[in-house]
Amino acid sequence: MRLGLALGYWGRGPSPGHVPLAQEAERLGYDSVWTAESWGSDAFTPLTWIAAHTSRIRLGTAVAQMAARSPVTTAMHALTLDHLSGGRMMLGLGLSGPQVVEGWYGRPFPASPLTATREYVDVLRQVLRREAPVELAGRFHSHPYRGPDATGLGKPLKPITHPLRPDLPVLLGAEGPKNVAQTTRIADGWLPLYWSPTRPEVYGPALGDLPEGFLVAPMAQVRVCDDVAEGLLPVKTMLGFYIGGMGHAARNFHADLMARMGYEAEARRIQELFLSGRREEAVLAVPDAFADEISLVGPRERIAERLESWRKGPVTDLLALAPDPHTLRVLAELNSR
């Protein structure tokens, strides 16, 4: 199982620790470093900055939001950074939810998310292969555009720049069983959310027969500490925000996933508290058991024991949200046993 460092997205401003952490991860033998975006910092610019300050570690987005860019724009970002980094780029994509897609990006959330994702990846692949001009008469993505307001002058094009790798890895963030099943067919890897080594069945039967070389790269908070309950507080804070606020009360994919994992009543209670403005109570309502099973928190010996269950399943890459160099080092030492 390879290790990756997940840096997430910026909060109020850039973190001065991200580049040193990425450099330390590279020194410790981590395979990859990943950035993200929500509705603030973008995923590609910080990754480019990290690329300029490292030499070996692979670079991934976990995730870049599809609604933020047309598929050809995303392909341009990926092929550009792949060239600049010497072939280290991995493109992780996510659809996000209606609240962000419509509220932040000002675009309609697709009526058929599976179709929209499939078309998006199709266009990406065409750009990266550069075998012919990009053409797709899709439901959500049309190249050239032929809508009712089109000029009719659109021309199929292929990128001027020759992509460094036509097989640049494309990974998808997917939560529902149908979405996961499609991901195993059209992508090179999957970025699971809230991965529990003891509950792989939550994501459906698709994991039973994965294509050769397919990446399964869940993100998990990792923290070496003496007090497990205290160490779980950042995990619960993240869950309180995502379960409670990253979506509408009637349509929140994160809350739905938590419910499928056996915590339906708790998920709805977290939503209720968060959406009524009682955010601290929402965090405290996150069960320690749920926060614990999707993270690696506690003393070194406890993490070592729990790490074994992550290795036994389909996980190929553990993307660690690790807050300090000590935790990075301990995880590297334990994983090399």
Side-chain angles (χ1 to χ4, degrees), residues 204-227:
L207 300 184
D209 187 24
L210 294 174
E212 184 177 353
F214 189 82
L215 305 179
V216 177
M219 195 177 298
Q221 292 206 36
V222 184
R223 185 179 297 265
V224 178
C225 59
D226 295 326
D227 189 325

Side-chain angles (χ1 to χ4, degrees), residues 136-157:
L136 180 69
R139 177 179 175 186
F140 300 99
H141 298 285
S142 179
H143 296 265
Y145 178 68
R146 297 186 177 93
D149 54 346
T151 64
L153 302 177
K155 175 184 177 182
L157 299 169

Side-chain angles (χ1 to χ4, degrees), residues 236 258 266-267 269-270 273 280-288:
K236 295 175 66 169
M258 183 178 175
E266 294 88 342
R269 178 59 176 161
I270 293 165
L273 290 168
E280 290 186 10
E281 291 180 64
V283 170
L284 294 176
V286 176
D288 281 6

Side-chain angles (χ1 to χ4, degrees), residues 1 48 89 114-115 146 152 178 188 194 214 245 260 262 300:
M1 183 176 68
T48 305
M89 180 66 195
L114 290 175
T115 302
R146 297 186 177 93
K178 290 182 180 178
D188 303 299
Y194 312 151
F214 189 82
R260 290 198 303 274
R300 179 188 179 106

